[in-house]
Amino acid sequence: MKTELGIHLGMSARTARRNMGLTQAVVAERLGVAREVYARLERGHMLPSLHTLKGLCTVLRVPPHELLALDASIETPPGRKRPPPTPRVESTALVDLRKTLRGLSRSDLRLLNALAATLPASPPRRHAAPEPDIKNSLKSA
């Protein structure tokens, strides 16, 4: 089961492991999995469970967003330079939302994240066409 995500996760794990100077056997032992299982993960043949992913992030000292390619396109191989991010102009509502989220506890944030994950992705909003000015069109007729 090779997927883009699996391949990226495996390549990221391999790069982090090599940078730390660890062998597959050492990482597998620290994770509590067989070396063969860890090797399959590095080759992109399987995705880890959440428990294993958490352990992998801890052992390799890599944040989960890097392993899961949440901060960039999955196609970007690890170790390659990514183009600099384009500056974003944030709306006032988004800034207010961030301030509110920073004030929440971890358990509240987890609950909010779980709730958001269940929501369907909404289609992009379309701006409504301006309504015709009926009063002015009647006066000119």
Side-chain angles (χ1 to χ4, degrees), residues 71-122:
D71 60 341
S73 164
I74 290 178
E75 293 88 25
T76 305
R80 297 237 176 144
K81 289 187 177 181
R82 295 186 180 118
T86 56
R88 292 184 284 177
V89 178
E90 296 181 343
S91 68
T92 308
L94 184 57
V95 171
D96 291 343
L97 177 62
R98 279 206 177 130
K99 287 178 185 176
T100 302
L101 291 175
R102 284 188 189 121
L104 295 177
S105 68
R106 282 189 165 197
S107 60
D108 288 344
L109 286 172
R110 276 191 227 114
L111 179 62
L112 188 58
N113 189 37
L115 177 65
T118 64
L119 298 174
S122 60

Side-chain angles (χ1 to χ4, degrees), residues 14-30:
R14 179 180 296 127
T15 301
R17 176 183 60 78
R18 287 180 176 168
N19 288 343
M20 292 181 71
L22 301 174
T23 64
Q24 286 184 343
V26 169
V27 174
E29 181 182 332
R30 290 181 183 176

Side-chain angles (χ1 to χ4, degrees), residues 126-137:
R126 295 181 186 218
H127 296 287
E131 292 186 25
D133 188 4
I134 297 174
K135 290 181 183 177
N136 287 337
S137 62

Side-chain angles (χ1 to χ4, degrees), residues 26-37:
V26 169
V27 174
E29 181 182 332
R30 290 181 183 176
L31 286 175
V33 299
R35 191 202 60 78
E36 294 81 12
V37 171

Side-chain angles (χ1 to χ4, degrees), residues 42-98:
E42 269 195 11
R43 289 192 308 267
H45 291 285
M46 64 176 283
L47 292 173
S49 67
L50 289 177
H51 177 74
T52 304
L53 178 64
K54 181 180 176 188
L56 191 60
C57 292
T58 302
V59 169
L60 298 177
R61 297 184 190 132
V62 177
H65 67 273
E66 282 186 24
L67 287 179
L68 297 174
L70 297 177
D71 60 341
S73 164
I74 290 178
E75 293 88 25
T76 305
R80 297 237 176 144
K81 289 187 177 181
R82 295 186 180 118
T86 56
R88 292 184 284 177
V89 178
E90 296 181 343
S91 68
T92 308
L94 184 57
V95 171
D96 291 343
L97 177 62
R98 279 206 177 130

